[in-house]
């Protein structure tokens, strides 16, 4: 399950780095795919305690690591701080999309279980 959460956003962040676009569409798409896959797998195994908080954190961490490894080298602490602030602003949409994806998957799974609960109580 952890690979399903980590690999897609890592691939997206690497694609963004290769294309030179910073945190962009690759990270966003990878984050959404990873969040959806981990939420589906977690819901099937009824192990959701880690699914809700982690996608945004994983996307943020991977984007930061890829940015630090591939971004322009800064000469001072002030420019490094500025780079990290720009990175955080650029990565936020991917983080938000990953978290929203988890919520949508969990809502759909919850709605799918409603008819089976009604049949069991009838």
């Amino acid at each position: 399950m952890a690979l399903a959460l980590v690999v897609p956003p890592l691939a997206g962040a690497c694609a963004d780095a290769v294309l030179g676009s910073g945190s962009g569409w690759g990270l966003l798409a990878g984050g959404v795919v990873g969040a959806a896959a981990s939420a589906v797998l977690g819901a099937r195994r009824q192990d959701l305690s880690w699914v809700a908080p982690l996608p945004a954190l994983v996307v943020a961490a991977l984007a930061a690591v890829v940015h630090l490894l591939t971004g322009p080298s800064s000469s001072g602490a002030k420019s490094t701080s500025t780079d990290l602030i720009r990175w955080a602003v650029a990565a936020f949409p991917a983080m938000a999309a990953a978290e929203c994806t988890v919520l949508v998957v969990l809502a759909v799974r919850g709605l799918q279980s409603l008819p089976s609960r009604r049949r069991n109580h009838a």
Side-chain angles (χ1 to χ4, degrees):
M1 284 193 300
L3 286 176
L5 180 61
V6 173
V7 172
L10 178 60
C14 289
D16 285 341
V18 168
L19 296 173
S21 64
S23 297
W25 289 105
L27 179 64
L28 187 123
V32 166
V33 169
S38 64
V40 167
L41 291 171
R44 284 185 185 161
R45 295 181 181 180
Q46 296 182 349
D47 185 18
L48 297 174
S49 60
W50 63 274
V51 171
L54 280 183
L57 297 174
V58 167
V59 167
L62 291 174
V65 168
V66 169
H67 174 75
L68 289 173
L69 293 175
T70 63
S73 59
S74 301
S75 59
K78 188 174 184 177
S79 59
T80 301
S81 302
T82 304
D83 285 346
L84 288 175
I85 290 169
R86 286 184 185 140
W87 158 82
V89 169
F92 183 77
M95 295 164 47
E99 199 59 42
C100 289
T101 300
V102 169
L103 295 175
V104 167
V105 169
L106 296 178
V108 168
R109 296 284 297 185
L111 291 174
Q112 288 175 344
S113 68
L114 285 177
S116 63
R117 287 184 192 163
R118 288 183 186 151
R119 280 185 240 134
N120 291 340
H121 292 296

